[in-house]
Amino acid sequence: MSFGGQTPTIIVLKEGTDASQGQGQILSNINACAAVQQTIRPTLGPYGGDLLMVDENGKQTITNDGATVMKLLDIVHPAARILVDIARSQDAEVGDGTTSVVVLAGEILKEVKEHVEQGVSTQLINKALRRASAMAVNKVREISVATNDASRRDTLEKLAATAMTSKLIKRNSTFFTKMCVDAVLALDQDDLNERLIGVKKIPGGSLTDSLFINGVAFKKTFSYAGFEQQPKSFKKPKIVCLNVELELKAEKDNAEVRVEEVSEYQAIVDAEWQIIYKKLENLHESGASVVLSKLPIGDLATQFFADRNIFCAGRVAAEDMDRVIEATGATLQSTCSNILPEHLGTCGSFDERQIGGERFNFFEDCPEAKTCTLVLRGGAEQFIAEVERSLHDAIMIVKRAIKNKDIVAGGGATEMEVSTYLHRFADREVRNKQQPIIKSFARALEVIPRQLCDNAGFDATDILNRLRVEHVRGNTWAGVDFDTESVSNMMDKFVWEPALVKVNAIQAATEAACLILGVDETIRNEESQAPQGPQGQLPPGAAQKALRARGRGMPRR
């Protein structure tokens, strides 16, 4: 309907809302992702640096783990947050390569930026990127080497050592690779649930004072008077695990009783004592030497057990209790009556030991051992926390390698081989507009060896040229040799990685790049607009500020 020949203005969005669209918006998103990549790329590789990150509460974190860095960066730019998601997905799916996937995604976007500026359709770019990604994944699988079961442990240790080369613990990698492989092999090989690997951090001592416990260890729980009279060591004890509160006050809290005479009150008090004594007598008669409960064990029960040479611990953490049940074969009881011998667990030895400033309970030589505990030592809490993150990556690599036996070489060798293959394919087989985009994808893969060289202080241009020559000659596993500052066969150097790491990184990085390129409109409300320059680009000096750009994006489908 028109009024006086003019169409009235229809306001759909809130006044002050900015709706950025088109090429300028895509370029803005690419620049934001490049800013994130610039922050994280110096942490890549054996000579990558660590980032010191301080949150709003003043808590310090020193790390070079990509997933941790991306989680702690307060990234609110809508497009850049996609890089956070792919880092988390890589961490969940594989456990390692989180920095690589973010660096690769950022580089793909930077390489195709030129095509966007020239007006090439983003749909054409996405189609070419997905084609290049599929070919790259197939090439990785084609060149991967299957390991045999005879050298299984040796292979797992080499894979764990490669995962640790870029971590804080690389100087003690020999010590920790054995620990990681032992930890994964201690699990049930059918499900390999890494959550059953307990990690306890105790400040003090050196890294090599860390312990591998083939069983369960947890910190001494809160205890009442009488605890010190209990025995602290057993050989082949019977263990009962409870979800029962053994305190006198519990019966008062769980019931309401009305009395009319004083004599009746005394009968109620006597009944309460009889109830708890009945529970304690049942536990004693079960033959258990160690009593554990998720709920409190009070002073009356503690003294009762001490008089009968029984060890008890209340308020045991749920995860520790679950691991004790897995290791000892015990069954969690919700009542103290009818406890049968098959409900009890056992272990080779139980004892309480002092480690640093803490006392720990150890359950070792467990017959059902499908769990283990790593006791980590170190000089500072931040240092031990980074050791834990490093071990997590190595453990996940070992876990994936057990299920996926194909390996490839590290040191940038795989990326260079795939890059050479894609360049050759684009020159010979592609005759349409996809050719320059596939070649851009191939150049993006070279960012991994280039960044490895930059972080180590090598001449990246010289080494990359030598790598290109070697791969054109057919030396599939030629990569960056950090020992000689040159090019070597990474497979012979035992720099190995699961093929799954490379496959997942290429797929995740490509999907993230295609998703970001597919967003050509962002709607921001007035209160949370990100600073924008001409043509949607970030204004001068705002590259790093993009990390905290107050934008809430909404991609248009």
Side-chain angles (χ1 to χ4, degrees):
M1 182 183 294
S2 60
F3 299 87
Q6 295 183 350
T7 304
T9 302
I10 301 174
I11 299 177
V12 178
L13 301 175
K14 180 179 175 182
E15 185 177 353
T17 299
D18 171 48
S20 304
Q21 338 183 340
Q23 184 189 97
Q25 179 57 52
I26 297 172
L27 293 174
S28 171
N29 292 341
I30 292 174
N31 290 337
C33 293
V36 176
Q37 187 218 34
Q38 198 65 32
T39 301
I40 200 172
R41 63 191 296 171
T43 68
L44 183 70
Y47 292 92
D50 293 339
L51 293 180
L52 171 59
M53 311 188 74
V54 185
D55 64 12
E56 62 272 13
N57 299 321
K59 181 182 176 182
Q60 301 172 349
T61 304
I62 301 174
T63 183
N64 69 353
D65 179 61
T68 306
V69 171
M70 296 301 289
K71 182 172 66 175
L72 294 177
L73 281 175
D74 188 16
I75 300 173
V76 292
H77 189 285
R81 281 195 64 83
I82 295 171
L83 299 184
V84 180
D85 295 336
I86 63 169
R88 287 180 177 172
S89 73
Q90 179 81 1
D91 192 44
E93 183 65 23
V94 186
D96 196 22
T98 49
T99 304
S100 300
V101 73
V102 176
V103 170
L104 185 56
E107 196 67 18
I108 291 171
L109 288 169
K110 285 161 69 175
E111 286 290 341
V112 300
K113 180 180 176 182
E114 178 185 353
H115 303 298
V116 175
E117 290 173 338
Q118 292 172 355
V120 179
S121 167
T122 54
Q123 298 305 319
L124 175 64
I125 295 174
N126 284 353
K127 186 176 180 181
L129 289 179
R130 288 196 170 97
R131 182 181 180 184
S133 172
M135 295 180 62
V137 168
N138 289 336
K139 184 63 176 176
V140 171
R141 289 173 175 157
E142 178 189 322
I143 64 176
S144 62
V145 178
T147 57
N148 58 51
D149 291 333
S151 59
R152 181 188 187 198
R153 184 182 178 89
D154 187 47
T155 301
L156 295 179
E157 288 189 357
K158 287 181 170 62
L159 290 168
T162 302
M164 290 181 191
T165 54
S166 63
K167 306 298 182 185
L168 199 65
I169 56 177
K170 61 184 176 185
R171 291 179 182 82
N172 303 100
S173 60
T174 305
F175 176 82
F176 283 107
T177 49
K178 183 178 183 302
M179 184 181 289
C180 288
V181 175
D182 286 341
V184 178
L185 294 180
L187 300 176
D188 184 344
Q189 297 300 293
D190 291 331
D191 63 358
L192 291 174
N193 184 1
E194 72 276 2
R195 294 179 183 175
L196 292 177
I197 300 176
V199 179
K200 304 299 177 185
K201 296 172 283 190
I202 308 175
S206 68
L207 268 181
T208 50
D209 291 333
S210 301
L211 302 172
F212 169 78
I213 308 299
N214 189 20
V216 182
F218 56 81
K219 185 178 174 183
K220 169 184 170 293
T221 60
F222 180 83
S223 56
Y224 289 89
F227 177 82
E228 295 302 338
Q229 300 173 27
Q230 295 177 354
K232 301 296 188 295
S233 180
F234 292 98
K235 293 294 182 184
K236 295 185 177 179
K238 297 293 183 182
I239 303 167
V240 62
C241 297
L242 303 173
N243 191 23
V244 179
E245 188 175 9
L246 297 176
E247 285 201 275
L248 188 60
K249 68 179 182 63
E251 309 309 328
K252 298 178 186 176
D253 294 342
N254 295 336
E256 178 181 338
V257 181
R258 298 188 181 186
V259 295
E260 296 180 355
E261 298 180 13
V262 175
S263 59
E264 292 179 359
Y265 177 73
Q266 184 60 44
I268 293 167
V269 173
D270 293 342
E272 288 178 344
W273 282 80
Q274 289 171 9
I275 290 171
I276 190 167
Y277 269 117
K278 183 65 175 174
K279 290 181 180 179
L280 299 176
E281 287 292 348
N282 286 340
L283 292 171
H284 179 232
E285 290 170 4
S286 71
S289 306
V290 177
V291 177
L292 305 177
S293 179
K294 290 184 178 181
L295 299 176
I297 296 179
D299 47 4
L300 172 67
T302 302
Q303 189 64 55
F304 178 92
F305 290 134
D307 294 342
R308 289 156 181 80
N309 289 326
I310 297 174
F311 175 90
C312 72
R315 295 191 178 97
V316 178
E319 60 180 20
D320 290 329
M321 183 68 84
D322 292 342
R323 292 192 302 111
V324 169
I325 291 169
E326 283 283 344
T328 63
T331 305
L332 188 66
Q333 302 294 308
S334 57
T335 176
C336 295
S337 58
N338 297 323
I339 298 178
L340 303 177
E342 56 265 28
H343 297 154
L344 303 179
T346 187
C347 63
S349 65
F350 164 82
D351 61 305
E352 185 174 292
R353 300 203 295 266
Q354 187 85 13
I355 299 182
E358 307 287 353
R359 283 161 70 179
F360 270 71
N361 298 321
F362 289 85
F363 300 80
E364 298 181 86
D365 301 324
C366 304
E368 301 285 332
K370 295 177 182 176
T371 179
C372 60
T373 306
L374 307 180
V375 179
L376 304 181
R377 307 297 309 279
E381 288 185 11
Q382 292 94 338
F383 186 77
I384 302 175
E386 178 64 2
V387 171
E388 181 187 11
R389 286 188 286 269
S390 303
L391 288 179
H392 168 264
D393 285 4
I395 285 169
M396 290 293 288
I397 284 293
V398 173
K399 173 186 170 183
R400 296 301 177 192
I402 288 176
K403 293 188 174 182
N404 302 274
K405 298 182 180 180
D406 293 341
I407 63 169
V408 293
T414 304
E415 287 83 3
M416 285 303 298
E417 178 64 19
V418 174
S419 176
T420 303
Y421 167 71
L422 288 177
H423 274 298
R424 187 181 296 125
F425 175 83
D427 288 334
R428 295 178 180 176
E429 305 293 336
V430 184
R431 293 290 181 267
N432 54 26
K433 293 180 180 179
Q434 291 186 10
Q435 185 192 54
I437 300 165
I438 292 176
K439 292 177 77 69
S440 294
F441 185 93
R443 284 195 301 274
L445 289 170
E446 293 183 355
V447 71
I448 301 298
R450 185 189 304 118
Q451 195 62 43
L452 290 175
C453 294
D454 287 342
N455 291 348
F458 299 165
D459 185 343
T461 305
D462 175 52
I463 291 181
L464 270 178
N465 285 334
R466 291 161 68 182
L467 280 174
R468 292 188 189 109
V469 171
E470 290 295 326
H471 283 273
V472 168
R473 288 175 178 170
N475 295 334
T476 304
W477 303 123
V480 182
D481 188 338
F482 294 96
D483 296 330
T484 61
E485 197 173 330
S486 63
V487 174
S488 298
N489 187 311
M490 292 291 104
M491 193 63 78
D492 294 344
K493 285 269 187 178
F494 303 116
V495 181
W496 297 352
E497 295 184 66
L500 184 67
V501 174
K502 302 299 184 187
V503 168
N504 204 75
I506 292 171
Q507 290 176 333
T510 306
E511 286 301 321
C514 291
L515 182 59
I516 290 167
L517 290 170
V519 176
D520 67 346
E521 179 172 359
T522 303
I523 300 173
R524 292 186 175 92
N525 63 39
E526 188 178 20
E527 295 108 33
S528 58
Q529 286 189 26
Q532 296 288 316
Q535 286 83 44
Q537 295 187 8
L538 296 168
Q544 297 305 319
K545 291 181 182 178
L547 299 176
R548 298 187 58 86
R550 297 292 173 185
R552 291 286 184 233
M554 191 167 66
R556 185 179 68 180
R557 295 281 178 189

